[in-house]
Amino acid sequence: MHSLYLPARFGQFLFLLLITAFSAIAQTPPRTLTWQFPLPRPHTGVLLGNGTQGIMVWGGGHTLHITISRSGFWDHRGGNEFSAKTTYADLKSKLQAGDKAGITAAFAVPRSASQSLGHPQQLGGGRLDVTLPDGWLIQYGNLFTDRGLLQIIVRDPQQVSHVLNIRQAASLEVTELEIPKDLRGKLTYKLIPHYTFVTEQLRAAGIEEPQWVVKDYGGKGAFIQPLPDDDPLLVGYDLVNDQHLYIQTSNLYYNRKTRRFDYPAMQALLDRAPSAIANVDTFWTSYYKVVPRIALPDPLLQEIIDYGLYKQAISTSPNGLACTLQGSFMEDYQLPPWSNDYHFNINVQMIYTPALATNRLANFKPLWRMINGWMPQLKKNGEAFFGRPGALMLPHAVDDRCRVVGTFWTGTIDHACTAWMAMMAWQNYRYGLDQPDAPQMLSQTAWPLLTGAFEGYFAMLEEVSTDDGGKRFSLPVSVSPEYRGAEMNAWGRDASFQLAALHRICRILPQAAAALGKPVDPRWADVDKRLPAYSTFEGKYMDEWSLSNKRIALWEGMDLIESHRHHSHLGGVYPFATIDLSNPTERKMVDNTLQAWRFKGAGGWSGWSLPWAATLLMRTGQTDAAIKWLHYWKENYVNEGRGTLHNANTNGTSLLGSPDWETEKQNREIMQLDAGFGALNAVLELLVQSRDEAIYVLPNRPRTWQNLKFDDVRAEGAFQLGATVKEGAVTEVRVKSLAGGKLTLMLPFEGKFRLNGQPQEGTKLVRDCKVGEVLTLTPM
């Protein structure tokens, strides 16, 4: 008896000891997330996607709602061809003269837009209601993020649980619902077009009602939603052998000449669905093979990583279309807000930036494919507006044809949109030096965007006198994104965001030219030298305590006088990182600016403002505050189903959205993907930061984090980083060089250390690495 009992107790003791010592560092936590039903709105639902087809699973009681949409279903009417109606010189003179009527006319939408929705608009697909028999109840859903598998657990009248499996193909526009044996022949289905929910708006815009191919008969249902000038969309479902239900979307098999779908081709695609679903494990295995493995001691931040990596796979898949504000996840009950378009003044950038650090450079391909296809339009915009050969111009809000959505003139002339995308293309190249397509990425995408952005800015510049009798460059008309909206006073000289963007372009261009073997344009260094880093403002920011300082301004003479969602005047800290934080004078200016910014508060912030704020704080060493803001974001800008919101989820947090869930007659929830990816990137910045001077590992590690481990976070130069923290101390840093080249690494421990077992000394490692070289650094 005792001989059996003692080893068992000893085994239990050893097991508990191991769990206590290594639970936070040994393994990445299981990637399984649970949703408790009922889920009352589409954006509280569980997401399935492949970059083209989007599925949201929600509902409650005995009805499962499946909201269906497809990226790229655009009514393109009403696009604004602003560049044909004004130039930079003309705009400058109108603004300086206060010609409001002239500005309005220059950015007005075409008259034909009056017969449309007024602007290009993406539309949803519809909803499939799956109803269980009486007495059955939907309980919860488990999402196995590492397999893309959603299991809906339902309970029968005898309190026995059953599982409905839902999976989506990796590239086909097909989702499969697998019906358990005890429910076969007992479910009912109802397919509801998006048109049903927004009939008045679409009818008034000249959009006809859907045409039914099969209307909920014999386990089948399908309709076609026509559009006046664009290809229609087919949405349908098909029950096979009363066991597998397939949901299909398509506009790929529409013949414009015959104005009919090729149904045999679509059926052939549907015939491939079972094998495509069966092979989807290949996609998920390959995805999780390369993304970082991260185990954090903070459960909330761990979920940001786990769900963020999953959503990256389903929203920016290389197999799909370039991701918009909501991606392929469009609600059925209203028109997607802001057309679900491409916003290039932060939102697209925030969605895609994590793909750099997560080793998913392939996820950029649909984005660059789209932008490369826009090059003629970007060139037309830039050369017509700036009057300068080679200039490119990317407006801030466009459809998938690069036509301007709306009349927001300040956003349309926000040239940092072009510069930021040029910087991202360069980062894609630099992070991916080991990729076979790196030379093509540099020459065909990054270089045209970099030079095009510079030429646009150069056309805007003028020389002004300095106090010492010299000359400097200045941007006489510039904007700080969305500040003061589209008012006539929403502009000024030398907006700090634009200055930072131009400086970054000037610093990248010589490196890009060297990589391509091209000559260096002396204008790049001249502009970088004679252009101010930012504008400043000096005065009080708090009357009660008479607090005053000199700080970064939005533009010349314009202080941040109120809480605002865009932290654009701090763009020199992040994203453009043009301010040298190691310089005491510059650091003092940034600290002053953060102090005044902090006093203004978060009352005017949107969801994506919080991750940006957290990243700014991480870059300036205020990591504990950064983590607090990420917690605040998760609690106040994420709904009960993990949906990441533009507006606050409560009526007492922000002026942007004050929902009263008890009294609102119709929910106006605005889901956007940007904040979730911004939060993912912010957590990655806690672990590794790529800066001009060096790569930083665990910079300013949170004081309360005693145990953590991560591996395979990618950094600029195609290096992969990992580290282990045990009992509050960094015990190991791991580096792998994927492309070879110079490594400059700031270490998270001081003094003596070992490099691959050999004693070293210092806080920085500078080394020329070989391709595939692996380095292990440990403190002595």
Side-chain angles (χ1 to χ4, degrees):
M1 184 99 173
H2 290 284
S3 64
L4 294 174
Y5 176 73
L6 286 174
R9 287 294 300 271
F10 177 77
Q12 291 173 0
F13 170 78
L14 181 61
F15 175 76
L16 291 173
L17 182 64
L18 289 170
I19 287 294
T20 302
F22 299 113
S23 61
I25 63 173
Q27 305 231 358
T28 300
R31 298 187 180 95
T32 303
L33 300 173
T34 299
W35 276 253
Q36 295 292 337
F37 282 73
L39 299 170
R41 305 178 305 281
H43 287 308
T44 63
V46 191
L47 306 182
L48 297 169
N50 55 25
T52 303
Q53 185 188 70
I55 298 292
M56 293 181 280
V57 182
W58 55 290
H62 65 288
T63 300
L64 190 69
H65 301 303
I66 302 176
T67 293
I68 309 160
S69 52
R70 185 197 191 274
S71 289
F73 184 43
W74 283 93
D75 177 2
H76 287 102
R77 297 173 299 160
N80 194 354
E81 190 75 28
F82 83 96
S83 60
K85 295 179 288 186
T86 189
T87 65
Y88 176 74
D90 180 56
L91 175 69
K92 176 182 171 182
S93 64
K94 283 183 168 61
L95 287 171
Q96 291 174 340
D99 183 2
K100 184 176 182 179
I103 296 294
T104 301
F107 291 88
V109 296
R111 290 182 179 179
S112 60
S114 61
Q115 285 82 48
S116 70
L117 288 163
H119 49 76
Q121 173 73 53
Q122 278 207 81
L123 301 175
R127 177 190 300 175
L128 177 64
D129 285 350
V130 180
T131 303
L132 307 175
D134 289 342
W136 289 65
L137 182 69
I138 303 170
Q139 294 183 286
Y140 59 92
N142 283 332
L143 177 65
F144 299 87
T145 60
D146 55 349
R147 291 186 284 157
L149 170 65
L150 171 60
Q151 291 190 337
I152 302 296
I153 312 302
V154 300
R155 190 181 64 204
D156 66 21
Q158 286 72 45
Q159 308 301 306
V160 176
S161 294
H162 306 263
V163 178
L164 287 80
N165 290 322
I166 306 178
R167 299 196 85 183
Q168 187 180 53
S171 56
L172 295 182
E173 294 177 48
V174 175
T175 299
E176 177 192 78
L177 172 65
E178 183 180 8
I179 302 166
K181 183 178 180 180
D182 290 339
L183 274 175
R184 293 173 192 170
K186 299 178 182 178
L187 300 176
T188 58
Y189 309 97
K190 183 179 182 181
L191 184 61
I192 309 171
H194 175 50
Y195 194 97
T196 302
F197 300 96
V198 289
T199 302
E200 293 184 9
Q201 291 168 278
L202 297 188
R203 184 178 291 155
I207 298 176
E208 298 177 358
E209 63 184 38
Q211 303 165 5
W212 285 94
V213 180
V214 179
K215 192 167 184 178
D216 297 319
Y217 177 78
K220 297 180 186 294
F223 64 84
I224 296 170
Q225 177 59 64
L227 294 176
D229 298 332
D230 293 279
D231 290 350
L233 176 69
L234 182 139
V235 178
Y237 70 94
D238 191 3
L239 182 62
V240 178
N241 297 328
D242 207 26
Q243 182 177 356
H244 296 96
L245 182 138
Y246 295 101
I247 299 169
Q248 183 180 16
T249 55
S250 181
N251 70 354
L252 299 179
Y253 295 94
Y254 178 71
N255 188 313
R256 295 182 181 180
K257 292 183 179 179
T258 64
R259 297 179 64 85
R260 291 181 60 83
F261 277 90
D262 184 346
Y263 292 111
M266 293 179 63
Q267 184 59 50
L269 180 144
L270 198 58
D271 291 341
R272 291 161 48 200
S275 61
I277 298 294
N279 293 329
V280 74
D281 283 335
T282 302
F283 169 83
W284 289 104
T285 300
S286 64
Y287 178 79
Y288 278 103
K289 185 177 180 179
V290 300
V291 296
R293 300 181 303 282
I294 300 171
L296 302 177
D298 185 322
L300 187 146
L301 267 59
Q302 184 66 56
E303 184 172 300
I304 288 175
I305 288 286
D306 292 342
Y307 196 37
L309 288 174
Y310 170 78
K311 288 208 295 183
Q312 179 178 256
I314 66 174
S315 302
T316 64
S317 169
N319 302 320
L321 302 175
C323 189
T324 50
L325 291 172
Q326 296 180 210
S328 59
F329 307 107
M330 289 173 274
E331 59 269 40
D332 43 43
Y333 62 89
Q334 66 179 3
L335 295 181
W338 293 305
S339 302
N340 189 20
D341 62 21
Y342 296 96
H343 270 47
F344 285 101
N345 63 358
I346 187 172
N347 313 84
V348 169
Q349 291 90 337
M350 190 172 275
I351 288 169
Y352 276 96
T353 294
L356 297 169
T358 59
N359 293 297
R360 290 302 303 180
L361 301 176
N363 287 40
F364 279 101
K365 289 183 177 180
L367 177 65
W368 300 132
R369 189 182 307 122
M370 180 179 71
I371 289 179
N372 287 338
W374 289 352
M375 283 297 182
Q377 183 66 46
L378 300 180
K379 190 171 186 289
K380 179 182 177 181
N381 290 346
E383 294 186 347
F385 185 72
F386 294 117
R388 185 169 193 84
L392 301 180
M393 187 177 187
L394 175 60
H396 98 289
V398 297
D399 64 14
D400 63 344
R401 295 179 179 175
C402 200
R403 298 292 298 276
V404 174
V405 177
T407 61
F408 192 53
W409 70 266
T410 57
T412 304
I413 67 164
D414 177 2
H415 198 46
C417 296
T418 313
W420 197 343
M421 291 309 298
M423 182 185 77
M424 283 191 68
W426 169 253
Q427 289 174 320
N428 194 163
Y429 163 72
R430 287 286 301 155
Y431 276 70
L433 289 175
D434 60 314
Q435 303 295 301
D437 62 348
Q440 182 181 356
M441 179 69 219
L442 176 59
S443 62
Q444 296 186 15
T445 303
W447 181 255
L449 285 171
L450 288 164
T451 55
F454 177 81
E455 294 298 343
Y457 271 128
F458 197 75
M460 299 168 70
L461 291 173
E462 65 180 23
E463 287 188 308
V464 297
S465 298
T466 60
D467 293 339
D468 60 3
K471 293 283 188 180
R472 72 168 178 87
F473 283 115
S474 175
L475 293 170
V477 172
S478 57
V479 296
S480 193
E482 300 187 18
Y483 198 79
R484 288 184 170 171
E487 297 298 319
M488 284 298 293
N489 62 351
W491 65 280
R493 179 178 291 275
D494 290 334
S496 294
F497 191 67
Q498 306 297 333
L499 296 176
L502 178 50
H503 275 292
R504 175 48 60 193
I505 294 302
C506 289
R507 295 174 191 180
I508 292 173
L509 275 167
Q511 302 176 62
L516 289 168
K518 293 181 178 290
V520 172
D521 189 330
R523 295 178 300 162
W524 304 337
D526 190 33
V527 171
D528 194 32
K529 179 180 179 180
R530 295 200 290 136
L531 185 75
Y534 41 74
S535 293
T536 61
F537 183 93
E538 188 166 6
K540 285 185 180 181
Y541 62 88
M542 183 182 180
D543 287 332
E544 181 183 359
W545 297 345
S546 295
L547 294 180
S548 178
N549 63 25
K550 186 177 181 180
R551 52 195 178 271
I552 299 173
L554 276 75
W555 56 75
E556 188 177 278
M558 186 68 224
D559 189 26
L560 179 69
I561 60 175
E562 59 196 7
S563 175
H564 193 258
R565 58 194 173 277
H566 267 273
H567 315 309
S568 308
H569 62 308
L570 287 160
V573 177
Y574 186 86
F576 300 117
T578 51
I579 297 175
D580 182 3
L581 295 174
S582 65
N583 181 312
T585 302
E586 298 294 278
R587 180 58 196 248
K588 178 63 175 175
M589 182 66 70
V590 169
D591 287 343
N592 286 350
T593 308
L594 289 172
Q595 190 76 353
W597 168 76
R598 188 177 295 115
F599 174 68
K600 302 303 179 186
W605 292 5
S606 61
W608 46 260
S609 305
L610 278 298
W612 188 1
T615 305
L616 289 167
L617 293 168
M618 290 171 197
R619 287 284 175 132
T620 54
Q622 299 165 84
T623 306
D624 290 311
I627 291 174
K628 295 295 185 183
W629 277 122
L630 289 175
H631 278 250
Y632 185 85
W633 167 75
K634 184 69 163 58
E635 292 164 359
N636 294 286
Y637 290 87
V638 177
N639 68 22
E640 62 269 41
R642 297 186 175 88
T644 55
L645 307 180
H646 179 274
N647 295 345
N649 62 17
T650 64
N651 60 5
T653 302
S654 170
L655 296 176
L656 284 177
S658 301
D660 187 334
W661 302 108
E662 301 300 322
T663 61
E664 274 194 349
K665 293 182 179 180
Q666 183 175 0
N667 170 60
R668 297 294 183 186
E669 195 166 40
I670 301 174
M671 187 283 292
Q672 290 183 190
L673 294 169
D674 40 31
F677 289 121
L680 172 62
N681 192 66
V683 178
L684 292 166
E685 287 258 331
L686 281 169
L687 309 178
V688 176
Q689 292 179 14
S690 295
R691 304 189 191 179
D692 283 353
E693 68 274 15
I695 297 169
Y696 289 72
V697 180
L698 293 171
N700 308 298
R701 178 169 48 86
R703 55 189 171 81
T704 57
W705 285 17
Q706 296 297 300
N707 299 287
L708 68 96
K709 182 178 181 181
F710 68 90
D711 277 297
D712 296 337
V713 174
R714 185 178 281 254
E716 189 170 352
F719 295 99
Q720 286 183 328
L721 284 299
T724 300
V725 176
K726 291 182 181 179
E727 297 180 0
V730 180
T731 59
E732 187 174 87
V733 172
R734 298 170 289 277
V735 184
K736 182 176 182 180
S737 175
L738 302 176
K742 184 178 180 181
L743 169 68
T744 304
L745 181 68
M746 298 300 297
L747 302 175
F749 34 72
E750 298 181 1
K752 297 180 180 180
F753 65 94
R754 294 187 185 277
L755 172 61
N756 291 347
Q758 300 301 312
Q760 307 281 328
E761 191 168 354
T763 60
K764 178 165 57 173
L765 174 67
V766 180
R767 182 183 179 90
D768 289 322
C769 296
K770 299 177 182 178
V771 176
E773 187 172 9
V774 177
L775 309 176
T776 303
L777 299 93
T778 55
M780 292 185 61

